[in-house]
Amino acid sequence: MESTDLTHYKKLVAKLPQLRSEIGKVIIGQQEAISEVLIALLAGGHCLLEGVPGLAKTLMVKTMSDALAMRFKRIQFTPDLMPGDIVGTEILEDDHETGHKVFVFNRGPLFANVVLADEINRTPPKTQAAMLEAMQEYKVTYNGTDYVLPKPFLIIATQNPIEQAGTYPLPEAQLDRFLLYIKLSYPSETEELNVLKSTTGTNRPELNTVLSDQDILELQTLTRQVHISDELIGYINKLVRATRPADSPSAYVKQWSQWGAGPRAGQALVLCAKARAVLNERFSVIPEDIQTLAYPILRHRIALNFRAEAEGITTDKVIKQLLTELKLT
């Protein structure tokens, strides 16, 4: 990397704390979740947000979009939502030059930089599947024609963990498309008190635009250039392989897991560790990056057996045990 490029990138990276500060004007607490959403953005992936109602999931995403000056769209997923409602459809219009009627593709809400797929598990599999090509290929196909989605492109899907009646759980194939599975917890007593004080008056904080869409694209390029040692890559490979019962050295995994993470999990862990380094104004990955991100990256890529569910064993407990057993040598 040339010195001029390094200076430019350092200026961009120095704006990331300011970005978190702008988001903090509106969102009180949830710092870990905010960091993980920003990591997904820097890594060029998508994330699934899970939390009970009222934890400001929608507000968090909208606030981040405002601070980044990126086009934001919210899709409320419902049982009657059709694929054309999110992708778009052709409409018949008059061609003013020829006087003939022509079909014109009317782009759906997926054509935005940040798309909030609210309560994605409330829509049928047919509509959920319509998002797969967009998430993986960054384009949609309609009537044999490809339409490229804008860049940067980030899908943030939300789901409610406590209300499962009338929902359509995401299949494992689609869960694996999400780079991170982020769980939002209740705020602390102090944070909740500050929420009550700051959101029930007349004061409305004004957000400043910190980074442009072009800045984000450059930071995504920088993320892939961040250094990670062969030792840490080897540790990631060992960790991911240890989640698979057939190959795992862990008796805990063999006892409670049905199947483990695939190679995509290792790719995600390397890339997100680099993104976390950038977010923390570093140009090299450290072990803490990997150990912190192991949870949101692996928790939706490990399937537990029926006995584990009956005993209250969660994927987070399996990950914690693996991190305890597997040490960097």
Side-chain angles (χ1 to χ4, degrees):
M1 190 184 300
E2 296 181 1
S3 58
T4 53
D5 292 335
L6 184 59
T7 302
H8 174 66
Y9 281 135
K10 282 184 175 180
K11 289 180 179 179
L12 289 180
V13 171
K15 292 183 179 180
L16 290 172
Q18 185 183 348
L19 172 62
R20 297 171 76 163
S21 177
E22 289 298 314
I23 297 174
K25 289 180 180 179
V26 178
I27 304 298
I28 298 171
Q30 304 293 3
Q31 291 303 307
E32 185 177 350
I34 291 171
S35 294
E36 289 172 356
V37 171
L38 292 176
I39 286 169
L41 179 63
L42 292 174
H46 313 286
C47 51
L48 180 64
L49 277 178
E50 183 179 275
V52 299
L55 295 183
K57 297 185 291 292
T58 303
L59 183 61
M60 179 194 302
V61 180
K62 178 66 168 63
T63 302
M64 184 190 74
S65 303
D66 291 341
L68 292 172
M70 297 200 300
R71 189 181 178 199
F72 170 79
K73 286 289 185 180
R74 176 177 180 267
I75 307 172
Q76 182 64 53
F77 280 77
T78 57
D80 60 348
L81 196 72
M82 300 296 289
D85 296 328
I86 64 173
V87 172
T89 186
E90 286 184 336
I91 57 175
L92 195 61
E93 289 187 354
D94 290 323
D95 188 327
H96 297 294
E97 293 183 3
T98 64
H100 298 139
K101 292 186 179 295
V102 294
F103 282 102
V104 178
F105 182 67
N106 187 31
R107 287 170 167 78
L110 271 183
F111 287 83
N113 296 115
V114 179
V115 178
L116 177 64
D118 218 354
E119 294 189 281
I120 191 174
N121 58 333
R122 291 204 172 278
T123 203
K126 176 171 61 175
T127 306
Q128 292 175 358
M131 296 184 64
L132 282 175
E133 182 186 18
M135 292 173 63
Q136 185 68 20
E137 305 296 337
Y138 293 85
K139 66 180 177 64
V140 299
T141 303
Y142 188 91
N143 199 20
T145 303
D146 291 341
Y147 297 91
V148 179
L149 293 162
K151 292 183 179 180
F153 179 66
L154 171 67
I155 288 180
I156 302 176
T158 70
Q159 64 180 15
N160 180 349
I162 62 174
E163 192 176 343
Q164 298 301 322
T167 62
Y168 304 84
L170 291 168
E172 287 77 6
Q174 186 158 347
L175 276 174
D176 195 41
R177 302 288 182 181
F178 289 101
L179 192 68
L180 299 175
Y181 182 4
I182 303 169
K183 290 191 174 183
L184 272 70
S185 57
Y186 287 110
S188 67
E189 183 176 357
T190 302
E191 290 170 345
E192 192 162 0
L193 183 62
N194 290 334
V195 168
L196 297 179
K197 290 180 179 179
S198 63
T199 60
T200 55
T202 57
N203 182 42
R204 293 292 182 270
E206 292 186 9
L207 291 180
N208 298 312
T209 301
V210 179
L211 293 165
S212 67
D213 52 358
Q214 185 59 41
D215 291 336
I216 292 299
L217 290 175
E218 292 186 25
L219 285 170
Q220 288 178 348
T221 300
L222 171 65
T223 295
R224 289 183 171 269
Q225 298 175 7
V226 168
H227 174 73
I228 179 170
S229 68
D230 290 342
E231 182 185 13
L232 291 181
I233 292 179
Y235 175 70
I236 288 173
N237 189 47
K238 186 186 300 183
L239 178 62
V240 171
R241 292 182 62 83
T243 64
R244 306 165 193 166
D247 302 323
S248 182
S250 171
Y252 196 87
V253 170
K254 292 180 181 294
Q255 181 180 5
W256 302 116
S257 295
Q258 185 175 357
W259 45 264
R264 185 180 283 144
Q267 294 172 319
L269 199 43
V270 170
L271 198 53
C272 287
K274 291 183 175 186
R276 188 177 186 271
V278 172
L279 192 62
N280 287 280
E281 302 182 75
R282 286 185 278 104
F283 295 93
S284 183
V285 174
I286 60 176
E288 182 187 337
D289 297 324
I290 298 167
Q291 292 158 353
T292 301
L293 290 166
Y295 293 94
I297 287 173
L298 295 175
R299 63 166 55 113
H300 58 302
R301 294 182 165 102
I302 298 173
L304 303 179
N305 54 36
F306 291 113
R307 186 183 170 195
E309 294 178 11
E311 295 291 333
I313 303 297
T314 64
T315 53
D316 279 17
K317 289 182 179 179
V318 172
I319 296 165
K320 183 178 181 180
Q321 181 65 25
L322 277 176
L323 291 174
T324 301
E325 293 181 15
L326 299 179
K327 301 293 186 181
L328 275 169
T329 56

